[in-house]
Amino acid sequence: MKQGKMIVLGIESSCDDTSAAVTADGRELLSLSISSQIDIHTLYGGVVPEIASRNHLKNINTVIQQAVDEAGIEYADIDLIGVTCGPGLIGALLVGVSAAKALAYALDKPIVGVHHLQGHIAANYIQAPELQPPFTAVVASGGNTDIIDVRGYNDLVMLGQTRDDAAGEAMDKVARVMGIGYPGGPVIDRLARDGNPEAIDFKRVMLEKGSYDFSFSGLKTQVINYVNHERMMGREIPKEDLAASFQQAIMEVIVSKALEAAEEYGRNRIALAGGVASNSLLRRMMEEACRQRGLEYYRPEPVLCTDNAAMIACAAYYKAQEGLFSDLSLDAYPVLDLRWGME
Ligand code: KG4
């Protein structure tokens, strides 16, 4: 029930998850409904945009209804609608944005467009009620690997991003070549637990000194060349060792750049976000590094790392607190500057 709190309905459909959620006063999660399309896209070894859009369309109303029912509210109780408006797959985004606008119009409620990365970071606010900006955020997923300086709830500054493959993308592509399944990140994470991270010496790509950008395509190619070479020589691929060595090379670079950014900008907290933030090695390494340096360490539970609407509802709440509303002219944007809608 409402009890004077601000009830936000969040909607997310930027890639292959259709999700809706209800939060109260931003951080209190009342319901979260996610319809994943992984099984469908597994057939193709990656997300097929047109198929994703069609499935969002099929699922969106059910997912929203589920979130409203599970929260124990009526549509009339909703005070605000938050929706991911970019970046992402344009056809996929349009389904969520259109549903959100239709509801905002029908219910006569305000609407807030949310940048997908701002949403990922906000997952940490739901997980950790005490967390407040400023802090250093690492957003790593299938589409992004970014270091972001979080100066305020709506004041995010991009310090660095991947110049080619995202961390999750590199893991998915390597897994495809290894023939171990899709999505590759979780499979590599699992295999790596039984492997030796020092078995194969892959080069860590740090780029020029002082840069917070990433480049994972060279590492991906090193791994693929290694696999092809071993196959040509008729040798069996040491899957566990390969997974462990590859994963170690990715996570070392991410952790090292995050620590450098926290130091340069004087932040005493680091928060992980995005699908790759579920990675057990990344979580372990970051926790240990933060402990050693006396930094606070935050990470969402896995269901809040992956694409979900709870994080979008939370981010929408903080935008509304600062009067950063959208209107019914809100559109979907495949490419979107991080500071969109923050000024
Ligand atoms: O944030 P997300 O659900 O979707 C977007 O990319 O927007 O992230 C999905 C990515 C995939 O590339 C997947 O392989 C990766 O996150 N991932 C992981 C793990 N779980 C998911 N990568 C490494 N370790 C994991 N445990």
Side-chain angles (χ1 to χ4, degrees):
M1 276 299 108
K2 256 189 100 156
Q3 294 164 342
K5 294 183 173 173
M6 185 187 228
I7 300 293
V8 184
L9 171 71
I11 298 175
E12 154 70 38
S13 69
S14 65
C15 190
D16 61 338
D17 292 302
T18 321
S19 180
V22 178
T23 58
D25 282 353
R27 297 183 184 225
E28 189 187 333
L29 187 55
L30 300 186
S31 67
L32 171 58
S33 167
I34 304 179
S35 168
S36 165
Q37 301 179 16
I38 282 188
D39 291 346
I40 299 166
H41 298 286
T42 295
L43 292 172
Y44 308 95
V47 177
V48 182
E50 184 55 29
I51 295 178
S53 315
R54 285 166 194 245
N55 281 283
H56 283 309
L57 208 50
K58 222 158 67 185
N59 298 330
I60 189 92
N61 287 339
T62 314
V63 163
I64 291 173
Q65 186 67 53
Q66 241 171 32
V68 168
D69 289 347
E70 274 170 30
I73 59 162
E74 306 290 332
Y75 280 96
D77 294 328
I78 296 170
D79 297 307
L80 174 73
I81 295 161
V83 61
T84 308
C85 60
L89 302 172
I90 184 67
L93 286 165
L94 274 168
V95 176
V97 169
S98 307
K101 290 202 303 190
L103 270 175
Y105 180 69
L107 301 171
D108 195 19
K109 299 292 175 175
I111 183 169
V112 171
V114 174
H115 191 290
H116 186 66
L117 295 183
Q118 185 174 10
H120 269 305
I121 292 170
N124 282 285
Y125 302 137
I126 296 175
Q127 186 73 45
E130 73 282 10
L131 175 63
Q132 286 182 9
F135 57 91
T136 302
V138 178
V139 187
S141 69
N144 302 277
T145 310
D146 307 313
I147 307 256
I148 294 170
D149 192 38
V150 182
R151 299 179 181 179
Y153 288 106
N154 297 302
D155 186 3
L156 311 184
V157 175
M158 181 70 79
L159 302 182
Q161 48 197 320
T162 183
R163 294 184 187 170
D164 38 59
D165 285 357
E169 184 182 2
M171 292 177 101
D172 293 342
K173 287 176 178 170
V174 162
R176 188 155 57 199
V177 171
M178 288 172 72
I180 54 175
Y182 170 86
V187 188
I188 289 176
D189 191 356
R190 251 191 329 272
L191 277 175
R193 284 174 204 162
D194 299 319
N196 172 8
E198 289 168 12
I200 309 160
D201 186 20
F202 293 123
K203 193 168 160 2
R204 277 66 169 150
V205 180
M206 297 300 292
L207 299 173
E208 55 284 1
K209 200 165 165 37
S211 168
Y212 295 115
D213 280 352
F214 297 93
S215 170
F216 292 117
S217 75
L219 173 63
K220 174 195 69 186
T221 307
Q222 280 183 72
V223 180
I224 293 174
N225 286 346
Y226 173 88
V227 170
N228 290 339
H229 182 259
E230 292 304 288
R231 280 188 183 142
M232 239 165 51
M233 302 301 284
R235 291 197 281 258
E236 200 177 321
I237 311 286
K239 284 188 177 145
E240 289 80 4
D241 286 349
L242 180 60
S245 304
F246 169 52
Q247 180 177 264
Q248 185 76 25
I250 291 188
M251 302 312 165
E252 268 183 24
V253 176
I254 294 179
V255 171
S256 139
K257 294 209 177 220
L259 293 173
E260 230 175 274
E263 190 177 337
E264 181 178 346
Y265 289 86
R267 308 299 177 217
N268 62 2
R269 308 177 183 111
I270 295 183
L272 298 178
V276 179
S278 293
N279 184 268
S280 57
L281 176 69
L282 177 61
R283 289 164 93 96
R284 220 171 40 241
M285 281 173 70
M286 194 65 96
E287 183 172 18
E288 178 58 18
C290 287
R291 198 185 53 72
Q292 280 176 6
R293 287 165 182 76
L295 304 175
E296 291 171 23
Y297 161 67
Y298 296 89
R299 81 284 172 277
E301 62 177 302
V303 69
L304 295 175
C305 288
T306 195
D307 289 348
N308 70 85
M311 66 189 199
I312 301 303
C314 179
Y317 170 82
Y318 283 106
K319 288 188 81 169
Q321 292 298 298
E322 294 183 18
L324 300 170
F325 294 98
S326 307
D327 57 34
L328 293 181
S329 68
L330 179 68
D331 210 341
Y333 309 98
V335 179
L336 196 59
D337 189 274
L338 180 63
R339 292 187 67 80
W340 175 89
M342 288 183 194
E343 286 147 326

